[in-house]
Amino acid sequence: MNVHDLFPSAAARSELQHHQLAGFDALWSLATDWHEAPNERRGGWSGVSRHLLDDGSAIFVKRQEDHLCRTLRHPLRGIPTFYREYRNILRLQRLAIGTLEALYYGDRRKGGHWQAILVTRALDDFSSLDDWNVANPQPTARQRQSLIAAIASACARLHRQRLQHSCLYGKHVFVRRSPSKPEAYEEDDVRLIDLEKLRRGISRERAGAHDLDQLRRHTSGWNDADWQFFTAAYRQQLDLLRR
């Protein structure tokens, strides 16, 4: 049984070692309740648990078995979907696009099954855009517009790299509950999550059109004026990135 352990940094390895969680067996056997009940698809299952560390911080431990996606390099056997998500998290980090902080990825073959684990730091200071809109039904004009502009900027940066999120819903755009600066959000207050389907698009334009259509259809709490402001801010940021 070969175990494939990956840590994005020495600091991540050291942190998990401190909590006796720097290995596949320890994480796979971790006794925690499901934060999201396992779903069964792709011939396997996948579920998410939240685990509180001794220092009071929290991590999400995502475990799956035989939950695979096919790629050009692995068209028949496929790879665990968490491996693709792990690589996409690191890709966005290299591009300075706000996303999750990965701490570990591992996989192994056991008893004819392919098991995989992805560990990320919990975004406890953030909430989804959908939840933020519910919690803040009447924000100040400055707060609302700065938030919309910050999300538009993050999307423009993503699409400028010809990257298509492919599942850009309001529940997958996380924003800081309170902005870093009083009453004014910035791009650093935005995180894009759920990157299993992120890929290179055919063109920047098509990647952007696909994602923004999804965002509009699957986000609640914004009116027509908000979307007009978003579109203008998105185009302005794209123009700045082209220079």
Side-chain angles (χ1 to χ4, degrees):
M1 179 176 62
N2 293 324
V3 177
H4 184 213
D5 290 315
L6 294 176
F7 298 88
S9 67
R13 182 195 293 268
S14 177
E15 180 177 359
L16 290 179
Q17 284 177 336
H18 176 73
H19 297 286
Q20 291 80 51
L21 294 173
F24 195 98
D25 285 334
L27 288 162
W28 188 261
S29 60
L30 191 62
T32 59
D33 294 331
W34 293 114
H35 181 74
E36 295 179 9
N39 62 72
E40 298 183 8
R41 56 176 178 159
R42 301 179 189 270
W45 61 265
S46 178
V48 183
S49 299
R50 177 185 168 88
H51 179 66
L52 193 66
L53 300 176
D54 294 338
D55 61 7
S57 64
I59 59 175
F60 279 106
V61 181
K62 303 175 71 173
R63 288 170 280 197
Q64 64 181 200
E65 184 173 84
D66 295 335
H67 204 271
L68 309 175
C69 61
R70 288 172 174 78
T71 66
L72 291 175
R73 185 173 294 182
H74 302 285
L76 299 178
R77 186 184 66 174
I79 61 172
T81 60
F82 287 168
Y83 182 51
R84 183 164 66 177
E85 184 172 11
Y86 174 76
R87 290 189 304 176
N88 283 331
I89 289 172
L90 299 188
R91 174 190 278 185
L92 292 200
Q93 288 178 338
R94 289 194 299 269
L95 296 171
I97 299 171
T99 187
L100 297 165
E101 180 186 353
L103 298 174
Y104 170 84
Y105 169 79
D107 60 46
R108 71 181 180 188
R109 290 294 192 97
K110 183 177 182 180
H113 298 285
W114 200 345
Q115 300 169 338
I117 300 172
L118 174 63
V119 179
T120 60
R121 197 177 304 282
L123 290 173
D124 284 344
D125 294 332
F126 292 73
S127 69
S128 73
L129 175 59
D130 286 344
D131 288 344
W132 191 96
N133 285 334
V134 171
N136 299 274
Q138 293 182 316
T140 66
R142 184 184 181 201
Q143 190 177 48
R144 189 180 194 85
Q145 290 187 348
S146 66
L147 176 65
I148 293 172
I151 295 170
S153 181
C155 292
R157 192 179 301 278
L158 181 77
H159 299 144
R160 179 60 183 163
Q161 297 294 330
R162 215 181 82 191
L163 294 175
Q164 179 176 302
H165 186 285
S166 302
C167 198
L168 194 63
Y169 300 174
K171 65 180 181 179
H172 297 149
V173 178
F174 269 54
V175 298
R176 212 179 295 275
R177 289 192 174 89
S178 299
S180 300
K181 293 184 178 180
E183 289 297 310
Y185 278 88
E186 297 181 339
E187 188 182 337
D188 187 54
D189 296 317
V190 178
R191 301 288 184 271
L192 303 179
I193 72 164
D194 197 37
L195 304 180
E196 288 185 13
K197 297 180 180 179
L198 184 138
R199 63 180 180 83
R200 293 278 287 181
I202 296 174
S203 68
R204 297 183 180 96
E205 293 73 21
R206 291 187 64 173
H210 179 278
D211 279 350
L212 298 191
D213 177 66
Q214 282 194 328
L215 185 64
R216 182 153 192 170
R217 288 189 294 110
H218 297 282
T219 300
S220 58
W222 285 2
N223 57 35
D224 288 343
D226 293 328
W227 285 110
Q228 290 172 7
F229 186 85
F230 174 90
T231 301
Y234 174 82
R235 290 174 177 168
Q236 182 182 42
Q237 184 62 22
L238 277 181
D239 289 341
L240 290 173
L241 292 172
R242 292 191 185 103
R243 296 175 185 173

